[in-house]
């Protein structure tokens, strides 16, 4: 099990993400580091405009779920200023990056634990927008998360 770090305030996607001082800048780059059950991505306070849907490719287990943990108090990412951890499917200037239907796509991925995130729908006003897709997935758990916008907030079958 490994822990990775993401900081919109002090990170850079060319970093390796393995320490606070070498944090990635985008959530998608941090999630891309997940490789084995029980891995953790700690995300510092800030606004994360991801230009495309974030997809997952590695499963956790019931005993060792993958963890995506926001750090609004900057408890772990101590060089960041405290604040909300906001994930949005947007361009850096805040405009939508096209008609995205999902922000997080867990389609067929299992056993994830997501905590302390605000997730903004990628397609405001769309009757097909979804904040999170959990289709064909088992064990996707959310704690202290806020979902904003979207026709479906969490969608799955």
């Amino acid at each position: 099990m490994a822990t990775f770090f993401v900081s919109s305030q002090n990170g850079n996607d060319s970093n390796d993400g393995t320490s606070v001082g070498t944090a990635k800048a985008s959530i998608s780059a941090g999630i891309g580091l997940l490789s084995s059950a029980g891995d953790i991505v700690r995300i510092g306070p800030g606004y994360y405009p991801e230009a495309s849907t974030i997809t997952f490719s590695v499963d956790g287990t019931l005993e060792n779920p993958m963890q995506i943990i926001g750090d609004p108090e900057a408890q772990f990412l101590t060089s960041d200023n405290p604040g909300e951890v906001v994930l949005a499917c947007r361009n850096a200037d805040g405009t939508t990056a096209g008609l995205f239907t999902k922000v997080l796509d867990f389609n067929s991925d299992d056993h994830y634990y997501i905590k302390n995130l605000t997730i903004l729908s990628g397609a405001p006003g769309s009757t097909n927008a979804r904040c999170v897709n959990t289709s064909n997935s088992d064990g996707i758990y959310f704690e202290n998360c806020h979902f904003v916008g979207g026709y479906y907030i969490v969608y799955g079958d």
Side-chain angles (χ1 to χ4, degrees):
M1 293 183 276
T3 300
F4 304 103
F5 299 89
V6 175
S7 170
S8 67
Q9 297 176 39
N10 297 297
N12 186 313
D13 279 347
S14 64
N15 290 341
D16 65 12
T18 60
S19 70
V20 172
T22 62
K24 294 283 190 181
S26 66
I27 292 175
S28 56
I31 288 172
L33 297 172
L34 297 172
S35 62
S36 61
D39 283 356
I40 301 168
V41 175
R42 296 202 180 274
I43 305 166
Y47 179 73
Y48 294 87
E50 302 287 334
S52 63
T53 299
I54 297 174
T55 58
F56 300 82
S57 59
V58 179
D59 289 338
T61 65
L62 183 60
E63 298 80 19
N64 290 303
M66 298 296 203
Q67 298 181 51
I68 302 164
I69 310 295
D71 184 20
E73 301 299 323
Q75 199 173 15
F76 296 94
L77 288 121
T78 56
S79 58
D80 287 3
N81 294 316
E84 192 172 10
V85 181
V86 179
L87 168 59
C89 202
R90 304 274 195 274
N91 290 313
D93 65 2
T95 60
T96 58
L99 187 62
F100 296 110
T101 58
K102 300 171 280 299
V103 179
L104 297 174
D105 188 1
F106 292 98
N107 188 20
S108 299
D109 294 301
D110 298 327
H111 303 293
Y112 277 79
Y113 174 70
I114 300 91
K115 182 177 179 180
N116 296 333
L117 296 182
T118 296
I119 303 168
L120 304 179
S121 171
S126 169
T127 57
N128 196 29
R130 299 173 181 129
C131 283
V132 179
N133 176 27
T134 61
S135 296
N136 304 310
S137 299
D138 292 318
I140 309 296
Y141 301 98
F142 296 92
E143 181 181 338
N144 196 35
C145 290
H146 306 278
F147 303 93
V148 180
Y151 186 74
Y152 298 104
I153 299 301
V154 177
Y155 174 81
D157 53 5

